[in-house]
Amino acid sequence: MKLRELTTIKEMLSQIDTIRFLYPNLSEEKYESFLSEMVPHNYTQIAVFEEENCIGITGCWSATKLWTGKYLEIDNFVVHPEYRSKGIGKMLTDYVEKKAIELNCSSIVLDAFTGNFAAHRFYYNQGYAPRGFHFVKILDEKKMTV
């Protein structure tokens, strides 16, 4: 297995099938539109490949907040269902942690949906813990992917 960082929209678009395990109804047009807004703000993706097949992927971006200083955020973390519980997720979080250290970040943050207990267990096992609540007020559900 090989791990590779994806930095261009073209590279990211080519892995849409893996992203669709998380967002099954995501169109290529919507994905490209979102990526066009995200990439200029430090968004990259890290992907795990078995031969030429992407079996795990996560997005991440760095930013700065007053309470934490510089941080790295994990976004859109997905492992192909046939490869779950085989260390792919750990490969991704280990890489993200190394990247955060290289970027001199104080922390790594992420959101996990409240009902996604498998993700909660995984992140707890990787040393993550809840620090607060991420409140959401939906203004137009039709614009959302989930």
Side-chain angles (χ1 to χ4, degrees):
M1 284 183 259
K2 289 189 176 186
L3 212 134
R4 194 169 87 222
E5 195 158 343
L6 312 178
T7 58
T8 68
I9 293 171
K10 182 178 179 183
E11 290 175 306
M12 294 175 198
L13 281 172
S14 69
Q15 306 313 322
I16 192 170
D17 289 340
T18 305
I19 291 291
R20 283 186 175 140
F21 288 114
L22 187 61
Y23 304 116
N25 299 319
L26 181 64
S27 70
E28 190 168 332
E29 295 76 24
K30 189 173 200 177
Y31 189 38
E32 184 171 14
S33 171
F34 285 168
L35 289 173
S36 295
E37 293 184 36
M38 296 162 69
V39 168
H41 297 282
N42 298 322
Y43 183 79
T44 62
Q45 291 179 340
I46 296 107
V48 178
F49 292 89
E50 184 176 72
E51 297 180 19
E52 295 302 312
N53 298 318
C54 180
I55 57 174
I57 195 165
T58 186
C60 66
W61 37 19
S62 62
T64 303
K65 290 187 178 186
L66 292 176
W67 77 272
T68 189
K70 190 172 184 180
Y71 66 94
L72 194 67
E73 182 172 354
I74 292 174
D75 201 11
N76 309 307
F77 194 100
V78 60
V79 175
H80 188 296
E82 293 177 17
Y83 291 87
R84 292 181 183 158
S85 299
K86 297 183 187 226
I88 307 304
K90 181 159 179 31
M91 285 177 69
L92 290 168
T93 56
D94 287 351
Y95 185 93
V96 167
E97 185 170 332
K98 181 180 166 204
K99 182 175 177 72
I101 291 167
E102 288 172 0
L103 292 171
N104 199 30
C105 294
S106 69
S107 55
I108 303 167
V109 302
L110 61 94
D111 289 329
F113 289 119
T114 53
N116 192 345
F117 302 115
H120 301 172
R121 186 174 39 256
F122 172 76
Y123 291 121
Y124 275 121
N125 288 336
Q126 301 306 311
Y128 294 80
R131 186 72 186 254
F133 292 99
H134 187 99
F135 288 92
V136 176
K137 181 178 182 177
I138 297 171
L139 301 175
D140 186 348
E141 200 167 320
K142 289 180 254 163
K143 293 180 181 176
M144 299 176 66
T145 304
V146 291

